[in-house]
Amino acid sequence: MQLSFQYTNQLREKFDDYHRRNPEVYDAFRKYALRAIQSGYKHFGAQMIIEHIRWSTAIVKGDHDFKINNDFASFYSRMFILEYPSYSDYFRTRTSVADELLTEKKCK
């Protein structure tokens, strides 16, 4: 099943807007991904990091209003790959609208 073009564009726009308003989420994603790498994991789940960010923000920091779309995990994993190309296979990925992040960077 193929996602509609309209849905994929909307998802990208939602992610871009969310990321502009919440840059600290990627900072946390990077921190936890690097911690997993330093712990010896050869592969890790981007969704697990997103869930950890949820826990840390909602429970540990007490921010009950924090929200993050599950679909954004694919975007954050691609951002990490762009920043750390030597870990391009760290997150096992499937074809996603988030792949545009990788192709846009290569074209620039």
Side-chain angles (χ1 to χ4, degrees):
M1 173 194 280
Q2 206 172 32
L3 293 175
S4 75
F5 182 72
Q6 182 179 3
Y7 172 78
T8 58
N9 275 354
Q10 288 174 351
L11 183 58
R12 174 64 190 271
E13 289 170 8
K14 286 179 182 178
F15 172 76
D16 288 344
D17 181 57
Y18 182 86
H19 179 60
R20 266 191 304 279
R21 291 183 292 111
N22 302 281
E24 69 280 358
V25 174
Y26 178 67
D27 294 340
F29 187 92
R30 178 194 310 113
K31 178 177 103 175
Y32 296 132
L34 291 172
R35 187 176 294 169
I37 290 167
Q38 291 166 353
S39 295
Y41 285 91
K42 301 298 179 203
H43 299 283
F44 209 74
Q47 194 61 47
M48 187 174 191
I49 294 173
I50 294 298
E51 294 299 339
H52 185 70
I53 293 168
R54 278 192 179 118
W55 174 269
S56 298
T57 304
I59 304 302
V60 176
K61 295 180 182 174
D63 182 351
H64 300 278
D65 295 323
F66 178 76
K67 304 273 189 245
I68 185 169
N69 186 323
N70 283 335
D71 293 336
F72 294 168
S74 59
F75 289 96
Y76 286 116
S77 65
R78 273 44 168 213
M79 288 176 68
F80 185 85
I81 290 167
L82 284 172
E83 187 173 3
Y84 299 93
S86 61
Y87 293 106
S88 62
D89 64 345
Y90 191 67
F91 296 104
R92 296 202 172 125
T93 60
R94 291 181 271 198
T95 302
S96 165
V97 64
D99 292 335
E100 292 175 4
L101 293 174
L102 299 175
T103 56
E104 287 171 6
K105 183 69 173 180
K106 288 177 185 175
C107 292
K108 288 183 179 180

